[in-house]
Amino acid sequence: MSFNNNEDAHLLEQLEFRIKSIELKIIFAFDFLKLDYLKHEFKSDLGKEKISDLIDYYSYADIFYSPKISLLTQYFEAIISILNVTEEEKAEKQLIVLERILKGTPKILLDNKIEPQNETQVQKHLYNYLIHIFPDTVREIPIPKIAKTYKPDFGIRSLKVAIEYKFVDSENEAKKFCGEIFEDILAYEGSNDWNLFYAVIYMTNAYMTQDQLEMEFQISKIPSSWKPLIVYGNGGRIKK
């Protein structure tokens, strides 16, 4: 659509400048978010004949509209939908990543050619791994009680998650560790620093199944804020 008078032509130039500015920002957003496919689609849509004009006219409705602005709005809303993630949703995604790491403990140790002999060795190598994924991972942050100070093996401050590792390499230890976990549960109760607790049991053999452990937690009415995980891997205590 063409404009005859100078004032309309000037307004058209301003509109063209603003639209071009928005186009560049959307392309930059796609580059920043590494959305190459969407960027390609966006450029392809911009080149289509039906949106080549800045301004068009709906004769049946007697209104002017801009095909390009309509297109820009669609892609802008798509970008907003990607970025508009709540803190709670971010935390949920990070918890999924954390659980994958915890469940992958045996593989992490195997890749580092580690056959652990005790909890300390497991903790050390997992901390060295977690700190790169979650930079605010801390070790043994004290939780003071009246008679004793307790220290979770790990804590991830941003997620308010504490992690306890247990090392089990015999049936007797498998029976005993539940009591230790219950003691930890009582110790950490009421802490403002941690809202979610993982009890990760590294077993050198299948002394107990995940279902058995979860049933044990259920029977013992363990708070839902505690989540047990059994992983099986190589290693074992050095016999005296």
Side-chain angles (χ1 to χ4, degrees), residues 11 40 87 89 124 134 136 145 152 154 172 185-186 229:
L11 290 174
H40 174 76
E87 291 301 318
E89 289 171 330
K124 175 185 174 183
F134 302 98
D136 58 341
K145 295 287 181 175
F154 307 123
N172 288 335
I185 290 169
L186 293 174
L229 293 174

Side-chain angles (χ1 to χ4, degrees), residues 141-235:
I141 294 298
I143 299 177
K145 295 287 181 175
I146 294 175
K148 185 178 179 181
T149 295
Y150 295 86
K151 298 178 180 179
D153 295 333
F154 307 123
I156 300 177
R157 291 185 183 276
S158 58
L159 299 178
K160 287 197 167 187
V161 171
I163 304 162
E164 273 289 336
Y165 267 92
K166 300 296 179 186
F167 186 86
V168 172
D169 78 338
S170 70
E171 289 186 14
N172 288 335
E173 284 191 341
K175 295 174 183 177
K176 187 179 73 171
F177 86 85
C178 282
E180 296 175 354
I181 290 291
F182 297 155
E183 182 182 350
D184 291 336
I185 290 169
L186 293 174
Y188 303 156
E189 187 177 1
S191 170
N192 294 323
D193 294 322
W194 319 114
N195 293 334
L196 180 61
F197 303 86
Y198 283 95
V200 186
I201 297 87
Y202 184 99
M203 291 191 179
T204 58
N205 212 327
Y207 303 115
M208 181 180 286
T209 68
Q210 179 71 32
D211 288 339
Q212 286 176 316
L213 180 59
E214 289 179 1
M215 183 58 67
E216 186 75 33
F217 270 50
Q218 183 178 333
I219 292 171
S220 303
K221 294 182 170 37
I222 301 302
S224 59
S225 56
W226 278 82
K227 187 161 186 178
L229 293 174
I230 291 182
V231 297
Y232 305 100
N234 295 331

Side-chain angles (χ1 to χ4, degrees), residues 19-20 22-24 26-27 30 38-54 67-73 75:
I19 286 178
K20 186 62 178 178
I22 295 171
E23 286 179 18
L24 292 173
I26 289 177
I27 291 172
F30 286 144
L38 276 178
K39 184 176 77 170
H40 174 76
E41 288 292 302
F42 177 60
K43 287 185 172 181
S44 175
D45 285 342
L46 280 176
K48 291 178 181 176
E49 184 177 351
K50 63 180 180 180
I51 60 157
S52 59
D53 289 337
L54 291 178
K68 278 200 173 182
I69 290 178
S70 298
L71 178 71
L72 295 177
T73 300
Y75 279 93

